[in-house]
Amino acid sequence: MKSRSNRDASMVFRPTPLLRAAIVKWAKRQAERLTLSQAVCELVESGLKVKGADPSEDRQERRARKMAGETIDDMINANLTADDKAASKRHLLDGPEEFSRVRVDRRKASRSAG
């Protein structure tokens, strides 16, 4: 855990009594002794590292991605193996190769030199 000084920016946080009790209980289970403020900071930091917690990804994007995935799952032949289903789904999500160069929502694949 990083050491925090009194000069760090402060924020007001008013948890419900139930949430406060859960934070205190979590802090007591940690290897090092944490103040309530440190426990809240640790929980927020770990929550921000969780996959899908990217603040730039909004709820509508996640919902659209989930709906697309479910629709594709319904369209894929049920007789295929799990590997073939996954490959088909990837192919449908990625689209034709000629489109991959113009997709702005995907990072460009890095090419290794040599």
Side-chain angles (χ1 to χ4, degrees):
M1 185 181 114
K2 294 184 234 172
S3 109
R4 293 176 173 80
S5 70
N6 290 335
R7 293 180 293 199
D8 287 345
S10 64
M11 295 177 67
V12 175
F13 171 66
R14 298 182 194 275
T16 63
L18 189 60
L19 181 57
R20 186 183 192 285
I23 294 168
V24 169
K25 185 177 178 181
W26 178 87
K28 287 180 181 178
R29 291 192 317 255
Q30 302 312 301
E32 60 182 292
R33 198 130 170 95
L34 299 173
T35 65
L36 187 58
S37 179
Q38 290 170 327
V40 169
C41 288
E42 290 293 316
L43 287 166
V44 169
E45 287 173 3
S46 64
L48 290 172
K49 292 177 186 173
V50 172
K51 184 176 181 178
D54 183 355
S56 66
E57 181 179 33
D58 68 1
R59 186 174 60 201
Q60 189 173 4
E61 276 184 80
R62 288 192 306 269
R63 185 169 174 243
R65 185 176 296 115
K66 182 180 179 206
M67 288 171 54
E70 289 170 352
T71 301
I72 289 170
D73 288 340
D74 291 342
M75 292 170 52
I76 293 177
N77 186 339
N79 297 327
L80 294 175
T81 66
D83 289 339
D84 289 338
K85 285 180 184 180
S88 294
K89 188 172 185 175
R90 272 193 310 276
H91 178 71
L92 287 169
L93 289 172
D94 290 342
E97 277 185 46
E98 53 272 14
F99 290 173
S100 64
R101 288 179 298 237
V102 295
R103 295 274 308 256
V104 295
D105 63 330
R106 303 254 177 156
R107 280 191 255 160
K108 303 284 184 218
S110 62
R111 294 183 185 188
S112 58

